[in-house]
């Protein structure tokens, strides 16, 4: 079959990437979707068992840091579009191992840009490089204010600095080579399939196992939370209708202090687990703060709303309920992730 588009989605075995892959594979049978991922600890093909046999889906195990391997796979498929999500994504890991963030997020992005330029050298007509980024590039807000697309970059952690560098590279290729790109900066995502090192799945897992709930510092750090499927919907919309060379901020207009989220989660979990109210919150433990911890992030998502008509489809309470139910129902997924068994899936499936 002649596909209408050939799209490589990098990092498609990760948390957000797997939701984007699922959406594109099922919504667009006329597109061929190639999931390019090296399967780090964060890449889990068990996230995609429901689409792995779809005729328009393929998986390629490739490290984006390896320029030759990237070029080879780009030449093999002759992609017309790239949706780039592969990254090292966890701030705490970037504090202990910054170099792997520079390699994957900066060098890896440069390799993808170069491979795209190489295979698109005859014409950029009908080509698109979609770079998925984070609101953390804007730094930390005080008590008021929101991040706009025009807010100057001020990254504060090795993670956000590496993402900011990759954003600069993408825009510089646009400016220098007329390279066709679009870029989005999104707030904190939550939802099913998130690796249990991030706040919400870590707390759900610990409440289930009656383990301490580690709240960093005074717990009054603020994040803007968005349900992952709403992020995937926004990516679909921007991919198809976003203006070339534009940036769109994506967020939920949904700010929460960490301690308030943890308390809300405790309440929901007590109900779901049939425990007496107040049981889970007894597990809350204030621990040493993250170094350089950004105080507050908050996105102004007016532009994507006004220009493209996007808005979140669920409230935070609804999204949280779906998420908790999913983690409680998918014990095997969580057990496999926490025991490391998920990493055997690739060998069983593909080798
Ligand atoms: P994740 O850590 O869950 O997944 C990252 C994926 O990238 C994994 O499948 C991993 O195997 C793959 N990967 C890592 N290094 C690779 C390499 N060298 N070569 C090929 N593949 C590699 O991350 P996520 O939370 O799904 O985030 C996806 C993207 O969205 C990232 O670019 C991140 O910066 C951005 N983002 C995340 C959030 C969030 O809240 N999670 C918010 C805004 C933006
Ligand atoms: P995280 O999920 O790591 O996302 P990010 O750092 O990219 O915003 O953390 C969200 C917030 O929760 C952040 O302020 C750090 C805090 N946090 C805790 O208080 N305890 C934890 O165990 C974790 C993982 C995070």
């Amino acid at each position: 079959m002649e596909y209408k588009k050939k799209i490589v989605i990098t990092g498609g075995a990760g948390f957000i990437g797997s939701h984007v892959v699922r959406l594109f594979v099922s919504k667009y049978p006329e597109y061929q979707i190639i999931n390019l991922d090296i399967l780090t600890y964060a890449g889990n093909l068990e996230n995609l068992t429901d689409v792995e046999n779809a005729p328009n889906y393929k998986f390629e195990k490739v490290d984006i840091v390896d320029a030759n391997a990237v070029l080879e796979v780009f030449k093999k498929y002759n992609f017309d579009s790239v949706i780039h999500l592969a990254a090292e994504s966890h701030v705490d890991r970037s504090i202990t191992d910054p170099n792997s963030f520079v390699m994957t997020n900066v060098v890896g992005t440069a390799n993808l840009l170069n491979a795209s330029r190489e295979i698109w050298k005859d014409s950029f007509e009908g080509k698109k490089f979609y770079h998925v980024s984070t609101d953390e590039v804007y730094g930390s807000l005080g008590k008021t204010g929101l991040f706009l697309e025009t807010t100057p970059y001020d990254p504060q952690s090795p993670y956000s600095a590496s993402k900011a560098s990759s954003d600069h590279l993408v825009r510089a290729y646009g400016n220098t080579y007329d390279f066709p790109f679009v870029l989005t900066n999104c707030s904190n995502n939550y939802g099913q399939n998130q690796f249990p090192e991030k706040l919400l799945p870590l707390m759900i897992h610990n409440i289930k196992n009656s383990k301490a709930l580690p709240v960093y510092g005074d717990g009054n750090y603020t994040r803007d939370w968005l349900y992952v499927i709403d992020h995937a919907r926004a990516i679909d919309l921007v991919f198809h209708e976003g203006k070339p060379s534009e940036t769109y901020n994506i967020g939920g207009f949904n700010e929460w202090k960490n301690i308030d989220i943890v308390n809300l989660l405790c309440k929901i979990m007590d109900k779901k687990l049939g425990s007496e109210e107040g049981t889970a919150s007894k597990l809350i433990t204030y621990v040493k703060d993250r170094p350089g911890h950004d105080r507050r992030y908050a996105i102004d998502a007016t532009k994507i709303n006004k220009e493209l008509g996007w808005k979140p489809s669920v409230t935070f309470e609804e999204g949280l309920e779906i998420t908790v139910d999913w983690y409680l129902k998918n014990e095997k997924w969580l057990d496999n992730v926490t025991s490391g068994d998920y990493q055997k899936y690739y060998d069983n499936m593909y080798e």
Side-chain angles (χ1 to χ4, degrees):
M1 155 169 181
E2 187 62 26
Y3 287 105
K4 220 170 128 189
K5 278 187 189 301
K6 272 193 221 171
I7 308 175
V8 57
I9 299 182
T10 72
F15 167 47
I16 303 170
S18 61
H19 288 283
V20 177
V21 165
R22 175 175 302 100
L23 179 66
F24 274 70
V25 167
S26 48
K27 186 169 171 188
Y28 303 108
E30 70 277 24
Y31 296 173
Q32 187 179 28
I33 305 299
I34 289 88
N35 173 9
L36 188 155
D37 199 302
I38 191 61
L39 304 180
T40 65
Y41 78 94
N44 183 355
L45 287 176
E46 286 183 352
N47 292 345
L48 289 166
T49 45
D50 54 334
V51 294
E52 70 191 3
N53 294 318
N56 63 334
Y57 170 74
K58 271 195 169 22
F59 174 71
E60 289 280 353
K61 189 166 188 253
V62 173
D63 184 352
I64 61 168
V65 176
D66 182 342
N68 292 331
V70 169
L71 185 57
E72 198 179 307
V73 77
F74 272 52
K75 283 185 171 159
K76 174 174 162 190
Y77 289 97
N78 201 18
F79 304 117
D80 44 60
S81 311
V82 180
I83 304 180
H84 175 33
L85 295 109
E88 286 294 339
S89 71
H90 190 44
V91 175
D92 292 325
R93 286 180 190 254
S94 82
I95 294 168
T96 49
D97 178 21
N99 275 26
S100 60
F101 285 68
V102 174
M103 293 311 290
T104 294
N105 299 356
V106 186
V107 177
T109 301
N111 289 339
L112 294 166
L113 290 166
N114 292 336
S116 306
R117 273 190 72 215
E118 175 61 28
I119 63 163
W120 299 342
K121 62 183 173 222
D122 292 339
S123 163
F124 287 145
E125 187 69 38
K127 311 296 195 298
K128 193 171 297 174
F129 190 102
Y130 183 153
H131 182 61
V132 176
S133 193
T134 166
D135 61 353
E136 302 191 25
V137 297
Y138 298 122
S140 186
L141 288 163
K143 284 203 169 69
T144 57
L146 297 170
F147 296 135
L148 285 162
E149 286 80 358
T150 49
T151 302
Y153 275 29
D154 186 21
Q156 299 293 323
S157 73
Y159 165 64
S160 53
S162 68
K163 289 298 290 186
S165 308
S166 66
D167 294 9
H168 287 319
L169 270 177
V170 172
R171 293 198 183 96
Y173 274 55
N175 181 59
T176 308
Y177 308 114
D178 275 334
F179 187 78
F181 78 92
V182 64
L183 201 156
T184 50
N185 296 92
C186 187
S187 62
N188 283 56
N189 285 213
Y190 71 94
Q192 48 271 52
N193 303 99
Q194 188 168 30
F195 195 81
E197 65 184 353
K198 303 269 167 82
L199 181 71
L200 282 164
L202 183 134
M203 296 294 170
I204 294 172
H205 181 64
N206 286 12
I207 294 171
K208 228 185 78 192
N209 294 292
S210 302
K211 281 168 70 177
L213 308 179
V215 173
Y216 297 167
D218 64 4
N220 289 322
Y221 292 86
T222 302
R223 299 290 183 262
D224 170 5
W225 292 91
L226 181 68
Y227 183 47
V228 65
I229 288 177
D230 281 327
H231 188 188
R233 287 174 51 245
I235 290 175
D236 178 18
L237 191 63
V238 171
F239 177 79
H240 287 97
E241 292 177 31
K243 284 198 206 114
S245 317
E246 285 287 320
T247 295
Y248 298 88
N249 281 352
I250 307 170
F253 285 109
N254 179 42
E255 279 185 58
W256 285 78
K257 286 190 172 145
N258 293 339
I259 187 63
D260 294 339
I261 289 206
V262 174
N263 273 315
L264 174 62
L265 201 55
C266 286
K267 247 193 205 161
I268 297 177
M269 289 290 286
D270 280 345
K271 236 191 252 159
K272 301 266 177 202
L273 297 174
S275 313
E276 199 183 314
E277 203 181 319
T279 306
S281 62
K282 289 201 188 100
L283 299 168
I284 293 174
T285 311
Y286 288 92
V287 297
K288 192 164 161 271
D289 211 348
R290 170 188 281 172
H293 199 168
D294 286 335
R295 194 65 172 163
R296 177 172 164 256
Y297 304 143
I299 279 272
D300 185 338
T302 305
K303 178 174 170 181
I304 188 170
N305 173 257
K306 288 256 151 55
E307 285 189 18
L308 305 181
W310 176 87
K311 61 176 189 334
S313 67
V314 294
T315 64
F316 189 51
E317 286 72 9
E318 287 165 344
L320 212 49
E321 185 99 12
I322 300 169
T323 305
V324 168
D325 284 343
W326 186 87
Y327 277 97
L328 293 179
K329 220 177 110 203
N330 288 274
E331 278 189 8
K332 182 137 180 18
W333 184 93
L334 201 53
D335 289 346
N336 280 355
V337 168
T338 41
S339 70
D341 271 359
Y342 71 106
Q343 287 175 319
K344 297 182 190 137
Y345 185 82
Y346 173 82
D347 293 342
N348 294 339
M349 182 71 193
Y350 291 89
E351 290 197 332

